[in-house]
Every structure is written in structure tokens, then in C-alpha cells.
Amino acid sequence: MSSLFPGLTDDPTGPPDERPALLFGTRSLTYPELAAAAGALADRVSGAGGPVAVWATPTLETAVGVVAALLAGVPAVPLNPKSGESELGHILKDSSPALVLTAPGDQLPSAFGALEHIEVDVNVRTSAGVRRTAYEPDPETPALIVYTSGTTGPPKGAVIPRRAVAATLDALADAWQWTSEDVLVHGLPLFHVHGLILGILGPLRRGGSVRHLGRFGTEGVTRELNDGATMLFGVPTMYHRIAETLPGDPELAEALGRARLLVSGSAALPVHDHERITAATGRRVVERYGMTETLMNTSVRADGEPRAGTVGVPLPGVGLRLVEEDGAPITAYDGETVGEIQVRGPNLFTEYLNRPDATAAAFTTDGWFRTGDMAVRDPDGYVRIVGRKATDLIKSGGYKIGAGEIENALLEHAGVREAAVTGEPDADLGERVVAWIVPADPQSPPDAEALANHVAGRLAPHKRPRVVRYLDALPRNDMGKIMKRALPSD
């Protein structure tokens, strides 16, 4: 495998590349500057004797710290600065980092104890044109240890090898026609796959640029797209804010219309928001599907049909199948039959750190990873996610129903601002469909019967909600995903 970052490690005597590699607000680093700063830090951490934790604030220092660890061949453990003491203590104990990298002046919680602390210096400079030539470790060498959200227990550390990082970024380059000419803008957190691996390491592997907003805002999106950015990454809550803002902001609409690629991920983007953005800008949002353990599995291609509500087709090198509850593969794809997604390929993680039991349970005997995500697949290969097996598959009246399609139907109702769908026990049906609604007008919420008829008319009568509950807001995590386990019990 070639170097993860050819622009930083190849041709050390070649001419300097003065294009900005990283831009965070008014702070930036060119490729030679990044090579110098990350190279100097790599020399300091190369003998750490264990993983390197990175206090993953949305800063230049986080990006430099992770790149330095990768140049040194040392696994990086990105840490969410919003983690509570208990969760942070678990991650530190589990991953046993040799040291932690932070931006100057960062105050760390007491959970770090006496762990060695290095402040990242992004101002290291070397003579013009000098770049660090790094030895590329074995492709199976761990690149990152990224912790899952821990919705069913303590977070698990997914060990992601260098092979998986390279494979997923190169597959996305193929699907999205991603080149060194692209300039990416996003405001995603840097402690997970979407913001860090795709949003920072992706542009660096391509030799392009990334402009991080620090904090997402439509004004920043407009500014950067007007200033030459070609790609935008976001999560559904960000695109929902864009869709809400567009009617009164023609400058935002024009800026989005000039973008080469708009990408949404980490959760399903409601079809209603797809349609509003397309109507205002003439551009369609591309969705892709991945997980911490698998990185990216599928995507709508830049040269393919941008079919709203789907996550496209399997990426190059990725095997994907749907299986029945007994594990039998579904062989006839009709766009209706629901099955669990299983994947295999070079994009997969190696193991859950210190959890051989969980690792073994995650894979089938023939090497397929059990994602726990439920989907249907069209005859032409397009995949549509309908929800998580544990929380979004509802078995009602002999039918298997995906919560996602009901949520999309509910969001098409003018009286609904947000929607979540779950199942609850029913003596007659097995489970009944329950809709959790945030009304567009809290003073005049839509009638439950009207919502049920709305869904029945768009989908099928057996998919209509039997119970409607109203909330002021839906519980969400840092990535904007609805946390259904946190919904009220009654």
C-alpha cells in the first residue's frame, strides 16, 4: 500500500506545494507547513510505546496530531471533548494511551490523571521544499481506535487498520470523482469517522484542501462555497437547517447551486429535505452509508442517479448482502423485502479492542460483518436503509416494517416538524407502530387520525401509526441521530 498521504511523504526533494491543506477559520497550513509540523510531532510520538490519545477539538491541532500519529505508525484514539467523566474514564482505561495530544491551553478533565500531555505546535517550520519521508507500516497496522456510541453498553473501541482507511477513501474518490482540485467545507466534529477520516484525512489523501467551519452555520457554508469550495459534508440536522433557511436566503441557494457535490451521512436525510434543497438549488444531495466498524459501504455515485431516500450502491471492493432473520441470504431484490445488511471487504475494522467475545459475535462464520441495519434493495442494486434491527424493525400483524419509511412519510405532512417511529407490544398485532411527533405548530398539533390516514395513503394501511405521542423535541446525539432509547417510556 502506498503512503496514506502522498502529498506529505512522497518526493521529499520536489517543489513546495503552497496550497492550503487545512484551514480552520483564519488559521491555515500549506502542505509543506503541515509536513513540517506533523513530521516534527511524529518524531516525538514514534516511541510512545502505545496508542496516542487526541483531545479532538475542532482545531488545526487535532488534525496535525492525528496526521502525526499516522506518520509515526502509532494508533490515534480521538476523544470527544464532550464525553462525561465515566465514559472518558472507560475509554482511557480500555485503550491505555501512552500520552495525550491537545491544543495549547486545553484543560483536561481529572480522568486523565498524570497521563503525559503534549501540546501540539502547529508553527514548526523547516526550510522551503523539505518534506518528511515516512516509512509506511504494514497495511494491517492499526491506524485509529474509534469508540462506538455505546447505546447498548460501554463504548467499544473499533480498531481500524491503515488498510481500511486507504480502501474507503480511495473507493469514495472513485464514487465521487474526488480529486486534488476539490476543496471540502464542513463543520463536523473530529472524533468520529465522518468528520475525521472522511472530512480531514480524505482531502489530505487526495492532495486537496479542507476548510473547517469550527461550528456549522449556513453563513459559513455560503462564504466558503462562494470562495471556491467545491464539496460540502454534513449530517441531516445540518441539511435540515439549510432547507429551512433557503426560502429566505437566495445567496445560500446560489452558493449551494455552484457546489460540485453535497454529501449527507451519519443518519438518513428525510426525503422532504432532499426535495426542498433540490427545488431551491437545482442540486441533489448525495447520501452514503457507513459505520465506525466498516467505514464506508455504499454511496450514490457522482455520475449515478441521485435517488432520494437511498444510500446508493456498494462501493468498489465492498461486498454487501441482505439476510433473513435465520441468516439465509435474500437472493431476489425487489425493493420491498427487508433484511439485515451484512458486509465484507478491505474497509472493515480488525477487532473490538479487548473484546474478543464482541468481535466474534459481530462476524458470521464465513466472514461477513453483521451491521444490525435493516434495508431493502432495488433490482438495480440501490440500497434503502429502513432502520436499526434493535430499534427500527417493527413486526406488526405478520409484516416486517421499517421505521424509516414511516418517518419519511410523516415528515411530508405540513403539521410535522420532526418525527420518530418505534414499536411497542400489542396483544393483537405483536407490535404496534408508535409515532413520536414534534409539531410544526405546538399550539395546533396535527390530529392523530389524520396522521395515520396520511401514512396509510402514502405507504400501506398496515404501516399507519396506531399511537401518536407529541414532544417538544426529539433526543439526539452529537451527530444529530435520534436516540430512540432515550424517548419517554410512556
Side-chain angles (χ1 to χ4, degrees):
M1 181 181 71
S2 64
S3 166
L4 282 177
F5 310 116
L8 297 178
T9 58
D10 292 352
D11 187 22
T13 61
D17 185 345
E18 296 299 337
R19 292 175 303 154
L22 302 169
L23 177 68
F24 284 71
T26 59
R27 306 172 70 212
S28 65
L29 291 175
T30 64
Y31 271 90
E33 291 168 347
L34 174 58
L41 183 57
D43 289 335
R44 293 184 66 184
V45 305
S46 60
V52 172
V54 181
W55 193 237
T57 56
T59 60
L60 270 178
E61 284 78 8
T62 293
V64 171
V66 171
V67 171
L70 293 173
L71 289 177
V74 176
V77 185
L79 301 174
N80 179 0
K82 295 182 180 179
S83 293
E85 287 280 344
S86 177
E87 179 175 289
L88 188 58
H90 163 74
I91 293 173
L92 291 171
K93 181 179 179 181
D94 189 57
S95 60
S96 299
L99 52 87
V100 58
L101 304 176
T102 74
D106 280 350
Q107 298 298 311
L108 297 177
S110 60
F112 283 89
L115 184 66
E116 183 184 356
H117 173 195
I118 295 178
E119 293 186 342
V120 176
D121 183 359
V122 301
N123 297 309
V124 175
R125 299 289 185 267
T126 59
S127 58
V130 176
R131 299 182 184 178
R132 184 177 191 275
T133 302
Y135 166 73
E136 180 61 29
D138 184 275
E140 295 302 317
T141 301
L144 298 110
I145 302 172
V146 182
Y147 278 79
T148 62
S149 57
T151 55
T152 58
K156 298 189 292 289
V159 179
I160 300 173
R162 302 174 77 88
R163 165 260 301 163
V165 175
T168 215
L169 294 179
D170 291 349
L172 289 177
D174 177 88
W176 296 343
Q177 301 174 359
W178 194 352
T179 74
S180 61
E181 298 302 312
D182 280 306
V183 177
L184 170 65
V185 58
H186 73 85
L188 297 162
L190 301 185
F191 51 82
H192 57 77
V193 168
H194 193 173
L196 179 60
I197 297 181
L198 273 60
I200 298 295
L201 305 187
L204 297 182
R205 182 161 176 81
R206 299 272 68 81
S209 301
V210 58
R211 300 176 186 173
H212 197 282
L213 298 174
R215 182 177 181 142
F216 175 82
T218 55
E219 300 88 352
V221 169
T222 300
R223 180 185 66 248
E224 298 302 338
L225 289 176
N226 280 339
D227 195 33
T230 62
M231 301 168 67
L232 172 67
F233 286 0
V235 297
T237 50
M238 295 174 179
Y239 280 105
H240 179 73
R241 286 175 59 187
I242 286 173
E244 293 280 292
T245 304
L246 280 169
D249 192 340
E251 188 179 4
L252 174 61
E254 291 175 9
L256 290 167
R258 282 193 290 272
R260 189 182 71 78
L261 199 66
L262 308 175
V263 182
S264 179
S266 298
L269 179 63
V271 172
H272 180 51
D273 286 336
H274 269 286
E275 293 173 344
R276 292 196 292 170
I277 292 169
T278 298
T281 68
R283 306 293 299 174
R284 290 195 173 272
V285 179
V286 165
E287 289 194 82
R288 85 297 182 281
Y289 161 63
M291 301 176 65
T292 301
E293 295 92 337
T294 68
L295 303 189
M296 294 301 107
N297 299 308
T298 73
S299 181
V300 174
R301 296 182 59 87
D303 56 0
E305 179 188 351
R307 198 175 301 170
T310 78
V311 292
V313 298
L315 291 168
V318 177
L320 183 147
R321 69 183 184 183
L322 303 185
V323 300
E324 301 280 8
E325 288 184 76
D326 62 2
I330 295 171
T331 56
Y333 295 121
D334 56 10
E336 292 291 335
T337 303
V338 177
E340 181 188 2
I341 298 174
Q342 294 183 351
V343 295
R344 64 182 179 186
N347 54 309
L348 265 63
F349 77 135
T350 304
E351 62 178 344
Y352 291 117
L353 187 68
N354 303 321
R355 291 291 306 276
D357 56 334
T359 304
F363 288 89
T364 66
T365 55
D366 53 350
W368 291 82
F369 177 74
R370 299 182 172 102
T371 68
D373 289 318
M374 308 301 292
V376 300
R377 195 170 182 184
D378 293 336
D380 61 359
Y382 272 68
V383 176
R384 177 161 52 88
I385 309 293
V386 299
R388 290 290 293 168
K389 185 176 182 179
T391 57
D392 297 323
L393 182 65
I394 303 166
K395 298 176 183 177
S396 182
Y399 294 99
K400 289 192 293 185
I401 303 170
E405 60 180 343
I406 304 175
E407 291 163 355
N408 268 323
L410 288 167
L411 288 167
E412 293 175 4
H413 191 286
V416 175
R417 180 179 299 278
E418 295 182 82
V421 169
T422 60
E424 66 181 21
D426 184 278
D428 179 44
L429 298 170
E431 285 186 295
R432 57 179 170 264
V433 177
V434 178
W436 303 79
I437 299 298
V438 177
D441 179 2
Q443 304 304 315
S444 181
D447 177 72
E449 183 177 357
L451 289 176
N453 291 336
H454 172 82
V455 171
R458 277 163 172 72
L459 301 177
H462 68 270
K463 297 179 180 180
R464 70 186 185 279
R466 308 286 178 142
V467 178
V468 176
R469 298 193 175 112
Y470 300 93
L471 298 172
D472 294 330
L474 296 176
R476 296 178 182 271
N477 65 12
D478 287 330
M479 290 304 297
K481 292 183 181 179
I482 297 170
M483 300 172 64
K484 294 189 177 180
R485 295 181 188 276
L487 288 165
S489 57
D490 185 31

